[in-house]
Amino acid sequence: MTEKIAAPQPEGWWQEPPRWLGRGVLLVLAMVAAFQVVMWLFDGLSTLLGIVFLAWMFGISIEPMVNRLERRGWRRGLATGLVMLMMTLAVLGFTAAFGALLVQQVVQLFGALPSLVAQGVDWVNRTFGTHFVAGHIVDSLGLTSARVQQIVANLTPGVVGLVASVFGLVFQAFTLLLFAFYASAEGPKLRRTVSSWFPPKQQQVIATVWAIAVDKTGGYVVSRLVLAALSSLLTGIFLLLLGVPYWLPLAIWTGLVSQFIPTIGTYLAIALPALIALSVQPLDAVWVVLFGTGYQQVENYLFAPRVTARTMQIHPAVAFGAVIAGAALFGPVGALVSIPVVAAAQALVETYGHRYELIAEENQAVTAIRPPRPPRQSRRRLPRRRRT
């Protein structure tokens, strides 16, 4: 009687799974759950995170002034409080002097936008013989009567809405100032605390990165604000003397847009005042354009070199791309802080990067066309023999 030998069973999916499979599945599920929780927290705390980031930017913007007062013997907390107090008083003084006028003119400007566009289109049709339809342009711009009424209603809420809006703005401003105060007053202590978590080799890198971020980012923000204030002041005076309506919001628009939107900011800034002046008096639009062009040259050659002497100069294409990317990722806050972040990153690259010297362009061209000949070996001449 022969004994049957069992045939080996083929390997298949029914075999016992490896031990690491269960742990891997649990790890993947835990990572997905953690990602979902982080995204939920980010969505819920996006407003607070934006305020904290703006407060940090504001804190490092005033840190150079705080450091200067500290070197003169002031305590850091007292110096920070003094700088923030002076800036708060300046904002409150501007609000007290022009706040009501600014709100009134902004509301009137939004309410008059459809008629202003229609008047501008009629002037273009009469002057250049075109046949544009004002109603189509107003509808394409979203300036319908219902939309304008909604905007005006949002700008002029009722008593309850006004109180709630004021309370919300005051709370957000207080939160921003509080975080900014600690970011500036406790800056050295925070830097030492962060450095203590790293070995000694990385502590010098952290100190250098922190110093570059404070110097370049703070200097850039301060210089932009100074240039925006100068542009708003001079533009407002010119528009007021020229008799252009809504001169105050137009001046603030021109100053902010021309300084914080690179490359095309100057043209966008002067286009709106020119269009408003065109709808009232066409000749005034020409004067507005001439003033904007002339002031841009004065700023480029007189104001900007002195104000931005210690700040990082960024290529216009890089700055424009940074604004678009920041606006796409984080909205208006991202567009506002994108250029300072790029300035700090560029400063870090300049500090730790390595560049090589370029050979002359003429040598590059000659080498590309005709490779250099190898050097000839020198032949030693033998002395002649004299005949005997």
Side-chain angles (χ1 to χ4, degrees), residues 13-21:
W13 60 270
W14 57 84
Q15 287 186 346
E16 184 179 358
R19 297 180 179 179
W20 56 265
L21 182 60

Side-chain angles (χ1 to χ4, degrees), residues 26 28 45 76 108 135 138 143 153 199 225 228-229 266 290 297 319 326 330-331 339 341 344 346 350 355 366:
L26 290 178
V28 171
L45 300 176
R76 190 169 186 85
Q108 293 177 356
V138 170
L143 299 177
L225 289 177
T266 303
L290 292 177
Q297 302 304 317
F330 304 105
I339 297 182
V341 172
Q346 183 176 345
E350 293 289 338
R355 292 187 176 183
V366 172

Side-chain angles (χ1 to χ4, degrees), residues 140-151:
S140 63
L141 294 176
L143 299 177
T144 59
S145 58
R147 177 60 178 167
V148 171
Q149 290 177 2
Q150 181 182 359
I151 294 175

Side-chain angles (χ1 to χ4, degrees), residues 72-383:
R72 294 185 178 182
W74 289 65
R75 293 184 179 181
R76 190 169 186 85
L78 183 60
T80 304
L82 178 63
V83 173
M84 295 183 65
L85 178 62
M86 297 300 294
M87 298 185 70
T88 304
L89 291 178
V91 173
L92 292 178
F94 176 82
T95 304
F98 300 101
L101 179 61
L102 177 61
V103 173
Q104 180 183 0
Q105 289 193 0
V106 168
V107 172
Q108 293 177 356
L109 176 60
F110 275 101
L113 277 179
S115 61
L116 292 175
V117 172
Q119 293 176 10
V121 171
D122 292 339
W123 180 84
V124 171
N125 291 335
R126 291 194 310 269
T127 305
F128 301 100
T130 56
H131 301 282
F132 294 111
V133 180
H136 295 169
I137 297 178
V138 170
D139 294 338
S140 63
L141 294 176
L143 299 177
T144 59
S145 58
R147 177 60 178 167
V148 171
Q149 290 177 2
Q150 181 182 359
I151 294 175
V152 174
N154 293 334
L155 292 175
T156 57
V159 177
V160 178
L162 181 62
V163 173
S165 301
V166 170
F167 181 77
L169 290 176
V170 170
F171 179 76
Q172 291 182 359
F174 179 76
T175 305
L176 188 145
L177 292 177
L178 182 62
F179 279 112
F181 176 82
Y182 284 115
S184 179
E186 302 292 333
K189 184 178 180 180
L190 179 61
R191 181 168 58 248
R192 290 192 298 267
T193 302
V194 173
S195 300
S196 64
W197 291 90
F198 294 89
K201 293 183 179 180
Q202 280 75 30
Q203 291 181 6
Q204 183 63 33
V205 177
I206 294 174
T208 303
V209 171
W210 198 292
I212 290 175
V214 171
D215 186 22
K216 298 302 179 181
T217 307
Y220 182 86
V221 173
V222 171
S223 63
R224 293 294 102 181
L225 289 177
V226 171
L227 291 176
L230 286 175
S231 178
S232 300
L233 176 63
L234 297 179
T235 304
I237 294 174
F238 178 80
L239 295 179
L240 180 62
L241 295 177
L242 194 62
V244 178
Y246 322 113
W247 59 272
L248 184 56
L250 293 178
I252 296 176
W253 159 272
T254 303
L256 294 178
V257 172
S258 63
Q259 301 303 323
F260 287 97
I261 297 182
T263 307
I264 63 172
T266 303
Y267 307 102
L268 292 177
I270 203 62
L272 183 59
L275 290 176
I276 300 299
L278 179 64
S279 63
V280 179
Q281 181 60 251
L283 184 60
D284 292 344
V286 178
W287 289 113
V288 170
V289 172
L290 292 177
F291 171 81
T293 306
Y295 177 79
Q296 186 65 33
Q297 302 304 317
V298 173
E299 180 184 283
N300 292 337
Y301 292 100
L302 184 61
F303 295 156
R306 298 185 180 183
V307 176
T308 62
R310 299 181 59 185
T311 59
M312 175 63 64
Q313 299 295 331
I314 307 175
H315 193 275
V318 176
F320 185 65
V323 170
I324 294 178
L329 293 175
F330 304 105
V333 176
L336 182 64
V337 303
S338 58
I339 297 182
V341 172
V342 171
Q346 183 176 345
L348 293 178
V349 172
E350 293 289 338
T351 302
Y352 291 100
H354 181 74
R355 292 187 176 183
Y356 298 92
E357 295 184 359
L358 294 176
I359 60 177
E361 296 181 359
E362 293 80 4
N363 295 339
Q364 292 182 10
V366 172
T367 305
I369 297 174
R370 181 180 60 187
R373 296 179 179 179
R376 295 182 178 181
Q377 297 181 356
S378 60
R379 297 179 179 180
R380 184 178 181 182
R381 295 182 179 182
L382 297 177

